[in-house]
Structure formats: structure tokens, C-alpha cells
């Protein structure tokens, strides 16, 4: 075999390993077997998937993923130059891909609502195409999930996160993985930032209703630990300045213990006052962050406000710094709650 041919097949083998690394460990041998026998019966394939995954993936999602990977590696097997079983073994490239995928998946699952085991799955795919970065979600009804006597299907929500192959260096190592409670999918440095400020053209994920998420595109301005999301550079810088100014006031109240403050208030005082979107804006929170926090806490952003009691309960469930600052801002309106 010539050096050129060796390099060619080495490239194809690396591509095959990458395809297989996208699958859960239990499905890799099944994909290899399917690639060897493309005429494998659907029933036989589904039975193998069930045995391998024990309900961790929906049958439909697992079958489609296995078939896609099998079709990708099948041409290599036709040449009889590569064994599908060998592709299952560990390689440096596969280990690196697995590390990247796990990092993205860990951040996503930590910051967004995900369905219970068996009711959906989150899959990460890596890309070197910026336009492909994003999140896609699909729902379907699985009538085989519960016993037939139950009479209702299970709603399965599958989520596919497409992240840059260099997500670790482009995003995580720059301290951009999670800002204002939202995961950054991609970020590219922009020139023209004032001294001490970083500007990024970015994509980030905001929580929506239920398990749904939205992917937003815009600009992130960051100075130290303070960040602001906006639709363009000017609004990002204006919002960041406002947020930094509000943060200085908030810093003077870092010792303020919200539990003690609420403990000094009567039920009548708590019920008579509200926490509003305007309070969050006043302390510099960006609109995207406000909407995402409201959705994550099942609060109605469109209503404009909630009772102080509801806001306090939401903060305890999801204690973000911007939410704390907004609560303190609202509490200043109650005489004697905290010093003006």
C-alpha cells in the first residue's frame, strides 16, 4: 500500500472513529454490526438497542442515530480494509472528542431543564462550521414507553446541541461558558472594545417554556465578572456600563442577608409589594437574562411583575446574582427593610 493510500485510509479511519464517538458506548458495537449487515431487520436492531441502552434513549432516536453512523462507515467495510470492531477501540482523537462532548453536555444539563431518564435525550455534535452551531429539538409520542394498560403515550423530547470543536478554548477557557445563567455556545473576539472590556460576537442559549430553549445571536460585553448580552455592540457597552454602576451599589449590600431581611417583614408588607422586570433592569440585568431566569423559574415575563413572595421563592430555587440585586432593589422601597 502506497504512502498516499495509507494516509487516505488513515483519514477515513479517523472520520469513522469520530462518528462512533458520537454514540453512547452501548450503541457502538450495534452500529458496527449494522454497518457489516445493512440488511439487518428493524426489529432485530430495535431489540439490540433496547438491550444496550435500557431505555436511556428513545427507540426512534437511537435507531436513527445508529443507522446514520452505520451508513457513514459502511463504505470502508466494503473495501475490506478496516474492521468496524477496531473502530470501537480508544484513540487519541476519540478521547479528545469525548472530553469536548462531555464538557458541553455537563454545562447544558446543569443550567437548563431536561426530561427525566427515558423521556428524551441530549446529544452533542461537534462542528467546524460556525453557521451550524445551534440547538435543535424534536418531540414525539412513544406509545410503547408505558404499559398498554396505562392508556397514554410518553412525550419524548430529544435535544441536539451543535457546538464548535474548539468550544473548550473558544468559550470555556475564556470564562464565557455560563454568563448571567445562560450557556455560551460560541464566541469570537471583536475589536474596538474600551480598555478593560472584552467584546464577543456570540451565540448563547436561553431557557424557554418546559424543556424548550432558544438560541440567540448578538454581542456579549464583559468586564471582569460582569457581563451583558445585547443585540449589537453599542447596546452591549451601554448595558455593561449600567450594570457595573448598579453592581457598585449591590457590592455595598453583600453582607445583607435576604433571609434576615424577609424575616423582619410582616406578611402584609411582603404581599403588598412586587418584584418587577423594571427592578431587574434598574440593577443592570440584560433583557435576555431576565427572560431566561423568568422561564427557568416558571414566572410570567410578559406580566411584568410577580409578588415579592413569588420572587423570593424563585430566587431560592435559582439564586443568580442579578436576581438577588433586583430583590434588594425592590426591598429598598419598603421603609425599614434595609438601609437606603
Amino acid at each position: 500500500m502506497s504512502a498516499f493510500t495509507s494516509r487516505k485510509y488513515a483519514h477515513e479511519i479517523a472520520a469513522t472513529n469520530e462518528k462512533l464517538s458520537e454514540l453512547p458506548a452501548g450503541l457502538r458495537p450495534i452500529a458496527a454490526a449494522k454497518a457489516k449487515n445493512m440488511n439487518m431487520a428493524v426489529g432485530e436492531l430495535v431489540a439490540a438497542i433496547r438491550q444496550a441502552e435500557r431505555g436511556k434513549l428513545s427507540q426512534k432516536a437511537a435507531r436513527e442515530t445508529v443507522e446514520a453512523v452505520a451508513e457513514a462507515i459502511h463504505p470502508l467495510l466494503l473495501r475490506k480494509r478496516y474492521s468496524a470492531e477496531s473502530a470501537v477501540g480508544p484513540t487519541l482523537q476519540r478521547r479528545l472528542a469525548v472530553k469536548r462532548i462531555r464538557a458541553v453536555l455537563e454545562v447544558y444539563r446543569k443550567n437548563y431543564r431536561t426530561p427525566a431518564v427515558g423521556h428524551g435525550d441530549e446529544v452533542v455534535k461537534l462542528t467546524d462550521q460556525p453557521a451550524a452551531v445551534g440547538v435543535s429539538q424534536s418531540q414525539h409520542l412513544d406509545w410503547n414507553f408505558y404499559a398498554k394498560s396505562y392508556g397514554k403515550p410518553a412525550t419524548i423530547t430529544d435535544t441536539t446541541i451543535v457546538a464548535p470543536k474548539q468550544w473548550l478554548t473558544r468559550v470555556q477557557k475564556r470564562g464565557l461558558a455560563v454568563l448571567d445563567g445562560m450557556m455560551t455556545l460560541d464566541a469570537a473576539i471583536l475589536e474596538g472594545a474600551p480598555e478593560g472590556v472584552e467584546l464577543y460576537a456570540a451565540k448563547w442559549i436561553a431557557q424557554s417554556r418546559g424543556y424548550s430553549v432558544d438560541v440567540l445571536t448578538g454581542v456579549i460585553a464583559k468586564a471582569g465578572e460582569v457581563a451583558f448580552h445585547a443585540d449589537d455592540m453599542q447596546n452591549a457597552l451601554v448595558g455593561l456600563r449600567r450594570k457595573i454602576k448598579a453592581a457598585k451599589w449591590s457590592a455595598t449590600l453583600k453582607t445583607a442577608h435576604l433571609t434576615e431581611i424577609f424575616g423582619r417583614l410582616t406578611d402584609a408588607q411582603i404581599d403588598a409589594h412586587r418584584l418587577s422586570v423594571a427592578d431587574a433592569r434598574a440593577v443592570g440585568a440584560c433583557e435576555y437574562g431576565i427572560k431566561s431566569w423568568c422561564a427557568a423559574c416558571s414566572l410570567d415575563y410578559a406580566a411584568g411583575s410577580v409578588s415579592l413572595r413569588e420572587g423570593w421563592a424563585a430566587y431560592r430555587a435559582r439564586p443568580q446574582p442579578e436576581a438577588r440585586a433586583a430583590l434588594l432593589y425592590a426591598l429598598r422601597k419598603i421603609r425599614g427593610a434595609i438601609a437606603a
Side-chain angles (χ1 to χ4, degrees):
M1 184 182 295
S2 68
F4 173 78
T5 305
S6 297
R7 288 197 298 272
K8 178 182 176 182
Y9 285 120
H11 174 74
E12 292 182 354
I13 289 171
T16 301
N17 285 333
E18 185 173 352
K19 283 286 182 185
L20 282 165
S21 71
E22 296 173 359
L23 286 173
L27 295 185
R28 292 172 198 154
I30 300 174
K34 174 69 175 176
K36 276 188 169 183
N37 178 16
M38 296 302 288
N39 296 318
M40 183 185 290
V42 172
E44 183 182 348
L45 180 61
V46 170
I49 288 170
R50 279 181 173 175
Q51 184 177 3
E53 285 303 301
R54 304 288 186 185
K56 291 180 183 178
L57 284 177
S58 68
Q59 293 176 27
K60 180 181 178 182
R63 186 173 66 249
E64 290 177 348
T65 307
V66 165
E67 289 177 342
V69 173
E71 287 175 5
I73 65 178
H74 184 61
L76 282 175
L77 298 180
L78 290 178
R79 297 188 183 99
K80 296 182 179 180
R81 294 184 181 276
Y82 187 61
S83 166
E85 285 83 356
S86 67
V88 180
T91 66
L92 178 60
Q93 184 178 4
R94 188 177 75 82
R95 288 198 298 269
L96 182 57
V98 168
K99 179 182 178 181
R100 292 165 174 167
I101 288 170
R102 284 177 177 171
V104 172
L105 202 54
E106 182 180 355
V107 173
Y108 182 86
R109 287 176 172 168
K110 188 176 180 180
N111 290 277
Y112 300 95
R113 287 192 293 265
T114 56
V117 174
H119 287 263
D121 195 44
E122 298 80 45
V123 175
V124 174
K125 294 184 177 181
L126 303 176
T127 182
D128 53 10
Q129 300 296 323
V133 173
V135 177
S136 61
Q137 294 181 299
S138 63
Q139 280 192 342
H140 67 275
L141 301 179
D142 188 345
W143 289 90
N144 297 317
F145 189 86
Y146 298 119
K148 291 183 178 179
S149 59
Y150 185 70
K152 294 181 180 179
T155 300
I156 308 299
T157 302
D158 293 322
T159 301
T160 300
I161 307 151
V162 182
K165 287 183 178 179
Q166 304 302 323
W167 186 84
L168 291 174
T169 53
R170 287 177 65 86
V171 177
Q172 192 173 61
K173 289 186 177 180
R174 289 174 173 169
L176 304 173
V178 180
L179 298 172
D180 297 345
M182 296 181 289
M183 177 182 179
T184 307
L185 270 180
D186 196 11
I189 296 176
L190 294 175
E191 294 184 346
E195 185 176 354
V197 175
E198 300 167 5
L199 285 173
Y200 299 92
K203 285 185 179 180
W204 60 89
I205 305 174
Q207 181 73 63
S208 188
R209 292 185 177 182
Y211 302 125
S212 299
V213 296
D214 296 320
V215 176
L216 304 167
T217 302
V219 175
I220 297 175
K222 186 173 182 289
E225 297 299 316
V226 182
F228 194 90
H229 300 75
D231 53 355
D232 58 37
M233 188 185 301
Q234 183 177 356
N235 287 328
L237 289 172
V238 171
L240 182 66
R241 284 196 293 268
R242 185 173 68 248
K243 193 170 184 178
I244 291 173
K245 184 178 179 181
K248 292 179 180 178
W249 170 81
S250 182
T252 64
L253 296 173
K254 282 214 178 277
T255 57
H257 200 296
L258 285 175
T259 302
E260 294 178 0
I261 295 173
F262 274 93
R264 293 200 297 267
L265 300 176
T266 65
D267 287 343
Q269 285 178 309
I270 296 175
D271 293 333
H273 292 80
R274 301 185 70 77
L275 175 67
S276 68
V277 171
D279 293 328
R281 290 173 182 150
V283 297
C286 64
E287 211 67 22
Y288 299 110
I290 298 171
K291 290 179 180 179
S292 184
W293 186 78
C294 287
C297 298
S298 300
L299 301 178
D300 186 2
Y301 168 86
S305 68
V306 296
S307 70
L308 204 55
R309 190 181 301 279
E310 288 178 288
W312 171 225
Y315 168 76
R316 283 178 290 171
R318 193 178 178 91
Q320 290 182 205
E322 293 80 9
R324 182 180 188 276
L327 274 170
L328 287 170
Y329 187 87
L331 286 167
R332 285 204 303 175
K333 303 170 187 176
I334 304 176
R335 184 181 297 277
I338 61 175

